[in-house]
Amino acid sequence: MDVQIEESWKKVLLQEFSQPYFAGIVSFLKAEKSSGKIVYPPGKFIFNAFNTTPFDKVKIVLLGQDPYHGPGQAHGLSFSVPNCIPQPPSLINIFKELHNDIGLAIPNHGNLTHWAEQGVLLLNASLTVRANEPMSHSKIGWSQFTDAVIKKVSEQKNNVVFLLWGKFAQEKQALIDSEKHLVLKAAHPSPFSADRGFFGCRHFSKANEYLVQHRIDPVDWKL
């Protein structure tokens, strides 16, 4: 399978694409399609996070767990939804924290492409999901692929900020060299947990302060 992925990522991840587990992912997705299952995001968006944020530009990694599983929501960027799609509850809470942290007005859409274009890798641990079945593709090999992505960023780059929200994301800390990167942890922004440490975490300002300290352009979080 010739994976349609941005060139700098293709070089970094070349050996992953030739691994048996990756062939297994491709076979599984083909079987889903041939049996009439609806899979999100659409094929052209599966690697959207990589195509929008080249490896050379990554300055922040924001790790999500699973693509949205409702119609029209997932477009390959963690926590993000396309324009004209209502903001999901976790994203609403992200915007509340952004407002409280640095005073930005809450946007009227949920499309985070502007962040991705500036170097925020919006990475889900699983890159696909079956319609209306959360975590349905979590065991098909994607975690091996995205763990490799996190490791490559950690090994080959310096002074990247990793935003790990919730227990699942925080389990990925073992893949990150915290001696040369900043790891910021908080509760997940879900309504079930946001008031247990996500609200008030101030990760947006902390991330930019760290980037500026290391002479890296800060992120313009305004959407």
Side-chain angles (χ1 to χ4, degrees), residues 21-22 24-25 125-126 137-147:
Y21 83 82
F22 198 85
I25 294 173
S126 295
H137 288 182
S138 63
K139 303 279 198 262
I140 71 168
W142 279 130
S143 59
Q144 192 168 340
F145 178 75
T146 53
D147 281 1

Side-chain angles (χ1 to χ4, degrees), residues 203-216:
H203 281 185
F204 302 99
S205 59
K206 286 176 181 175
N208 273 351
E209 285 161 12
Y210 178 84
L211 294 175
V212 170
Q213 283 168 8
H214 292 89
R215 298 184 178 157
I216 301 167

Side-chain angles (χ1 to χ4, degrees), residues 93-219:
N93 285 338
I94 288 169
F95 289 151
K96 285 179 184 173
E97 175 59 23
L98 185 62
H99 172 73
N100 292 333
D101 184 5
I102 54 179
L104 287 181
I106 292 174
N108 60 4
H109 64 89
N111 190 334
L112 306 182
T113 300
H114 179 58
W115 294 1
E117 290 170 345
Q118 297 177 77
V120 182
L121 181 65
L122 297 167
L123 179 67
N124 277 316
S126 295
L127 299 189
T128 57
V129 70
R130 196 179 296 144
N132 304 314
E133 294 184 42
M135 304 299 294
S136 48
H137 288 182
S138 63
K139 303 279 198 262
I140 71 168
W142 279 130
S143 59
Q144 192 168 340
F145 178 75
T146 53
D147 281 1
V149 171
I150 295 166
K151 279 194 247 186
K152 295 287 187 188
V153 172
S154 177
E155 289 164 3
Q156 297 186 26
K157 298 184 74 73
N158 293 306
N159 307 129
V160 172
V161 181
F162 289 85
L163 301 180
L164 306 182
W165 296 342
K167 183 174 179 288
F168 175 85
Q170 288 164 20
E171 288 171 352
K172 304 295 184 181
Q173 184 171 2
L175 306 171
I176 302 162
D177 181 352
S178 55
E179 296 290 312
K180 62 173 185 165
H181 302 291
L182 177 64
V183 177
L184 295 175
K185 297 186 289 184
H188 194 278
S190 155
F192 300 107
S193 55
D195 58 358
R196 298 204 296 268
F198 178 75
F199 290 137
C201 71
R202 302 194 61 243
H203 281 185
F204 302 99
S205 59
K206 286 176 181 175
N208 273 351
E209 285 161 12
Y210 178 84
L211 294 175
V212 170
Q213 283 168 8
H214 292 89
R215 298 184 178 157
I216 301 167
D217 288 339
V219 173

Side-chain angles (χ1 to χ4, degrees), residues 19 74 81 122 197:
Q19 297 287 333
V81 290
L122 297 167

